Amino acid sequence: MTSSNSNPPARLNRTLTLPWLVFYGVGVTVGAGIFALIGEVLALAGDQAPLSFLLAGVIAGVTGISYALLIRRYPVAGGEAVFVNRGLGSVFARLAGFGVVATGIISSAAIALAFAGYVQVFLALPETLLVSTIVLILFGIAWFGVRESVAFAALVTLIEVGTLFVVIVFGLPLLGDFSAVGNTFVPSLNSAALAGIVSGGVLAFFAFIGFEDIVNMSEETQKAERTVPLAVVWTLGITLVIYVVLAVIAALAGNREAITSSTAPLAALFESVSGLSGKSVAAMATIAMVNGILVQIVMASRVLYGMANEGLAPQWFAKVDDRRQTPARATLTVALIVLGLALFFPLVRLAEATSLVTLSVFALVNLALFAVGRQIGKGAIHQFRWWGILGTAMCLSIAGFQIFSGVSGGH
């Protein structure tokens, strides 16, 4: 007989509203990627760099709609693993879920190493100390509470987006030439130019990766069925506007060679449009990396937690901290693996491979939308089931283009 004094199992705390979730989404999407990729996209697409970012936004948006439709029906942590499990079965669900966890962990480790490298420019401290310190501090924030984690991410998001806004403000005079701005959206009708736009679009796509992490916060979000899909749409919309405006400024700025050849291209762009030192922008890139590590630790731990509740991962990961109401075991596991990879493994090739894994997961999610739509035979998912086939085809095409063209990138 069960004691009447026994406590029910702890559950995740629903504290997030739409503004908090949009902050989280923009923070994880507008991360280190745009600080590094703007120069590479400009080198590939030239004057039509804005078209590359528009193309990338379309690619991300197709899958974003699939996520928004599915999360309305399955508003639980675990995101991709849950969607794919419902549509395609447990084998594919495990592939999707562990693929998401793996990309989050590996990219966090790579970002931690990059963070240490930037800090060493200013402080002569051992890489091991810097990596260990930042990962353990961010684990503590992630364990302490989701509101605290998202609040920290929101603060860093304000700094990141504020930095991009400053670059945009200094570039505003360039936008006064409407004819020149219009030319950046007119593609040259030759194969080389079109190939450059497509290649740039494939590369720019990786700067949009991150919006999908929003769905893994569903069990900590108020009115998740409505709030999470709106957060996905708002995140992609805000990100697209920021990226396209920056791309227009980059395309019109002088000294293009300095921007495309720089290891800190956004800092070089700032110097070009303002005449000031770009060191402050480079410092903001370091802060963006801190944010990237935190949101990936939070995301990967929620996926493990959700998979455990679905029976797709060991039940041990489903344990919620009684005090903090966070998935403590999953968070600790993710942080320790991130730390181990960052300390003991070379991650360049592994980090590049995360983009292919992400595209594969996106393809599975889109295919799950089609499968679920066929199963239920009614409602919005049924009506949009063929959208999933379109998304699957686009993701597989992008992955194939990346493999055969050698285009790679990362967030």
Side-chain angles (χ1 to χ4, degrees):
M1 183 168 137
T2 305
S3 169
S4 59
N5 294 325
S6 62
N7 295 321
R11 296 186 179 276
L12 300 181
N13 193 15
R14 292 188 182 273
T15 62
L16 300 180
T17 58
L18 181 61
W20 282 112
L21 207 55
V22 172
F23 264 122
Y24 177 85
V26 173
V28 72
T29 307
V30 182
I34 187 61
F35 285 89
L37 289 177
I38 186 73
E40 297 181 54
V41 174
L42 184 63
L44 287 168
D47 290 343
Q48 275 70 58
L51 286 178
S52 290
F53 279 99
L54 278 175
L55 175 61
V58 171
I59 295 168
V62 169
T63 297
I65 290 174
S66 294
Y67 272 90
L69 289 167
L70 286 165
I71 200 62
R72 290 180 63 186
R73 185 171 180 84
Y74 308 116
V76 294
E80 295 88 346
V82 175
F83 303 155
V84 176
N85 190 34
R86 295 292 193 273
L88 304 175
S90 61
V91 173
F92 289 105
R94 286 189 175 90
L95 288 175
F98 285 117
V100 171
V101 173
T103 55
I105 289 173
I106 295 170
S107 63
S108 291
I111 295 170
L113 287 170
F115 166 84
Y118 270 90
V119 173
Q120 285 176 325
V121 174
F122 306 101
L123 298 172
L125 294 174
E127 179 182 84
T128 299
L129 175 63
L130 291 169
V131 168
S132 301
T133 300
I134 193 62
V135 172
L136 292 176
I137 288 174
L138 295 178
F139 157 70
I141 294 173
W143 165 80
F144 193 76
V146 68
R147 174 66 73 88
E148 290 77 13
S149 300
V150 175
F152 179 84
L155 174 63
V156 177
T157 297
L158 287 174
I159 295 172
E160 291 173 353
V161 176
T163 301
L164 300 180
F165 183 72
V166 168
V167 177
I168 289 172
V169 167
F170 276 101
L172 283 178
L174 296 175
L175 303 182
D177 187 342
F178 296 109
S179 176
V181 171
N183 289 337
T184 65
F185 293 97
V186 179
S188 301
L189 298 178
N190 62 74
S191 58
L194 293 175
I197 293 171
V198 175
S199 297
V202 172
L203 191 60
F205 166 76
F206 300 105
F208 285 88
I209 292 175
F211 73 88
E212 72 280 4
D213 294 352
I214 296 171
V215 303
N216 295 305
M217 310 305 291
S218 294
E219 290 187 40
E220 291 158 286
T221 299
Q222 299 173 12
K223 300 179 181 177
E225 297 90 339
R226 177 179 180 275
T227 303
V228 178
L230 284 174
V232 170
V233 173
W234 273 101
T235 294
L236 284 172
I238 292 169
T239 302
L240 180 61
V241 171
I242 292 172
Y243 288 176
V244 170
V245 173
L246 279 172
V248 171
I249 292 171
L252 298 178
N255 204 7
R256 181 176 296 182
E257 175 63 26
I259 299 170
T260 57
S261 62
S262 175
T263 57
L266 201 70
L269 174 59
F270 177 73
E271 290 179 348
S272 177
V273 297
S274 71
L276 303 173
S277 170
K279 287 185 178 179
S280 59
V281 173
M284 293 305 103
T286 305
I287 296 175
M289 291 172 190
V290 174
N291 199 33
I293 300 167
L294 175 62
V295 294
Q296 293 297 339
I297 289 175
V298 171
M299 176 277 295
S301 63
R302 268 59 180 182
V303 174
L304 274 179
Y305 166 83
M307 290 179 68
N309 285 330
E310 287 283 306
L312 300 173
Q315 190 65 27
W316 188 82
F317 291 117
K319 172 66 176 175
V320 173
D321 185 276
D322 292 327
R323 248 182 93 216
R324 304 310 313 170
Q325 292 183 288
T326 55
R329 291 177 177 176
T331 304
L332 177 62
T333 301
V334 168
L336 290 176
I337 297 174
V338 168
L339 184 58
L341 289 174
L343 292 178
F344 298 111
F345 290 90
L347 293 171
V348 175
R349 292 190 181 278
L350 290 174
E352 290 176 352
T354 60
S355 59
L356 286 174
V357 177
T358 300
L359 285 167
S360 299
V361 171
F362 281 6
L364 287 172
V365 169
N366 282 299
L367 197 58
L369 175 67
F370 175 77
V372 170
R374 288 189 62 188
Q375 292 167 12
I376 62 179
K378 61 181 180 180
I381 292 180
H382 177 69
Q383 294 173 2
F384 281 88
R385 65 191 185 279
W386 290 104
W387 188 269
I389 295 297
L390 171 64
T392 302
M394 289 185 69
C395 290
L396 294 179
S397 298
I398 299 160
F401 185 90
Q402 180 186 347
I403 291 170
F404 291 111
S405 70
V407 175
S408 65
H411 203 47

